[in-house]
Amino acid sequence: QVQFVESGGDSVQPGGSLRLTCTTTQTVTHSYDIAWYRSAPGKEYEWVSAVTPGGEKLYAASVKGRFLISRESTNNTAFLQMNDLRIEDTAIYYCNVWGRKRDWGQGTQVTVSS
């Protein structure tokens, strides 16, 4: 069974917004911290944000104030609302259990360019 499926990526101009969706399993949605990671071209995975089952949210300094993470029980999903996107946000975005560095999904491409 595929544990993480990401969607919602697109090409946008600087200052634009996107909302990414992470579809996962019931167990992950209700019991684990869910995190968003990103991989820029030629670079390793970078932690972006995390949300606990209780709704606590944490953000990397590079995205704090611009991105909002959330999770919903319905359809076992998590989201990443990305506002005021910058060129340096360009990357493939992945969701996963926070701290896990394996079993990556396909990711979704976010491209920010003028």
Side-chain angles (χ1 to χ4, degrees), residues 12-48:
V12 298
Q13 294 185 335
S17 298
L18 289 171
R19 190 182 79 157
L20 307 184
T21 298
C22 169
T23 301
T24 184
T25 66
Q26 183 181 46
T27 297
V28 170
T29 299
H30 295 281
S31 302
Y32 292 87
D33 305 324
I34 297 178
W36 284 95
Y37 295 84
R38 65 188 181 187
S39 178
K43 300 180 180 178
E44 294 187 350
Y45 294 93
E46 172 193 12
W47 176 77
V48 174

Side-chain angles (χ1 to χ4, degrees), residues 10-12 38-41 43 46 67 82 85-93 108-114:
D10 206 347
S11 297
V12 298
R38 65 188 181 187
S39 178
K43 300 180 180 178
E46 172 193 12
F67 291 11
M82 305 186 295
L85 283 162
R86 303 167 180 173
I87 293 175
E88 55 264 38
D89 294 320
T90 295
I92 303 175
Y93 284 72
T108 186
Q109 177 71 53
V110 172
T111 302
V112 186
S113 63
S114 58

